[in-house]
């Protein structure tokens, strides 16, 4: 079995107490802090920008996993890198030259990820897979927390697991959307090794964060 990492999505946290929410999931055993950036254009919701990433950076040494649901993404890559992102994940639909955007991310000294929407086929990432540190399979349509897991994406996870294993270098296979104790088992069986979870963690009292993270990982 893979070494499973858990990435709480702060989108579902209490924004009025964001600093303490981050500290709470950090000490509860989160591996990554998943930060959902939305622009009201690529997705129908607006969330946070580089200033927020910079403000929360001193609160945790965990990997800052920044999921950019913005188009274009290129003009903002440097700002997010400078704000303290460790991973920048972009969607292939966000610009005309995915390979170039990924080169820019790597040149900024940051790990590079590509996210596939439910309707986006594996082929969209295949050519650049060896250049990546992370592939994200969206198991909901991006834009909101608390949506229902889309089962058809399990096959995409399986296909990507095989392709990553063939490449033979460590590439995170991340899953994002509708992850709870039930769906976590399915995505892990399909080969995912980084599980993003927003509602499943932050809808509970902070005293329960550690046990939920442990259950999602198990
Ligand atoms: C959706 C975001 C997710 C979201 C997941 O667009 O990319 O990271 O926060 O939330 P849950 O876990 O509630 O589905
Ligand atoms: Zn996300």
């Amino acid at each position: 079995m893979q070494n499973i990492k858990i990435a709480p999505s702060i989108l579902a946290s209490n924004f009025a107490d964001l600093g303490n929410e981050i500290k709470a999931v950090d000490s509860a055993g989160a591996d990554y802090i998943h930060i959902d950036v939305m622009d009201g254009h690529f997705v129908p919701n607006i969330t946070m920008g580089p200033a927020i990433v910079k403000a929360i950076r001193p609160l945790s040494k965990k990997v800052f996993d920044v999921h950019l649901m913005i188009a274009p993404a290129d003009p903002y890559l440097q700002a997010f890198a400078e704000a303290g992102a460790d991973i920048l994940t972009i969607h292939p639909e966000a610009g005309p030259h995915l390979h170039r955007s990924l080169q820019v991310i790597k040149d900024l000294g940051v790990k590079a990820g590509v996210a596939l929407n439910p309707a986006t086929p594996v082929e969209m990432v295949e050519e650049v897979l060896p250049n990546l540190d992370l592939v994200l399979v969206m198991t909901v349509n991006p834009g909101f927390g608390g949506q229902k897991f889309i089962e058809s994406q399990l096959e995409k996870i399986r296909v990507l697991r095989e392709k990553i294993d063939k490449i033979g270098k460590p590439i995170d296979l991340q899953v994002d959307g509708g992850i709870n104790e039930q769906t976590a088992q399915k995505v892990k069986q399909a080969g995912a090794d980084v599980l993003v979870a927003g509602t499943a963690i932050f809808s509970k009292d902070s005293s329960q964060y550690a046990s939920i993270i442990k259950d999602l990982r198990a």
Side-chain angles (χ1 to χ4, degrees):
M1 199 63 194
Q2 324 91 297
N3 179 20
I4 303 294
K5 297 191 180 90
I6 304 299
S9 163
I10 60 168
L11 181 63
S13 72
N14 174 8
F15 284 167
D17 199 18
L18 182 57
N20 285 325
E21 290 278 64
I22 287 162
K23 290 185 209 164
V25 284
D26 179 317
S27 58
D31 299 284
Y32 296 177
I33 305 294
H34 186 84
I35 302 170
D36 286 306
V37 177
M38 307 187 187
D39 65 355
H41 166 77
F42 183 68
V43 291
N45 194 7
I46 300 177
T47 56
M48 42 208 145
I52 304 281
V53 176
K54 189 176 175 199
I56 61 179
R57 183 66 273 191
L59 304 179
S60 171
K61 291 192 166 63
K62 299 291 167 76
V63 169
F64 270 25
D65 165 31
V66 177
H67 177 193
L68 296 176
M69 287 159 277
I70 62 175
D74 289 350
Y76 304 99
L77 297 174
Q78 187 176 353
F80 281 103
E82 286 172 357
D86 296 300
I87 305 172
L88 284 174
T89 296
I90 55 177
H91 284 253
E93 297 88 352
H97 301 291
L98 180 61
H99 188 280
R100 177 179 292 152
S101 301
L102 294 169
Q103 274 180 324
V104 171
I105 293 173
K106 300 297 280 189
D107 288 347
L108 288 164
V110 174
K111 290 188 172 177
V114 170
L116 300 177
N117 285 335
T120 305
V122 170
E123 285 68 30
M124 290 291 280
V125 76
E126 216 160 352
E127 290 291 331
V128 297
L129 202 53
N131 309 348
L132 296 184
D133 301 291
L134 179 149
V135 185
L136 167 51
V137 176
M138 293 298 306
T139 40
V140 298
N141 285 293
F144 302 95
Q147 301 181 82
K148 190 173 176 293
F149 181 84
I150 301 173
E151 297 273 340
S152 63
Q153 299 308 298
L154 289 168
E155 182 55 23
K156 193 186 281 178
I157 298 167
R158 282 185 211 109
V159 170
L160 280 163
R161 177 78 273 154
E162 270 189 33
K163 292 190 188 295
I164 289 169
D165 287 348
K166 273 191 198 139
I167 292 170
K169 77 164 222 205
I171 300 171
D172 286 345
L173 180 44
Q174 185 177 63
V175 172
D176 184 7
I179 297 298
N180 54 38
E181 277 171 41
Q182 291 75 42
T183 56
Q185 300 312 322
K186 296 183 187 184
V187 300
K188 285 184 280 187
Q189 262 165 29
D193 54 12
V194 184
L195 276 55
V196 175
T199 307
I201 295 171
F202 288 106
S203 66
K204 305 281 168 42
D205 187 79
S206 59
S207 61
Q208 290 176 263
Y209 291 170
S211 70
I212 302 158
I213 289 172
K214 188 165 159 272
D215 288 348
L216 292 172
R217 203 196 301 280

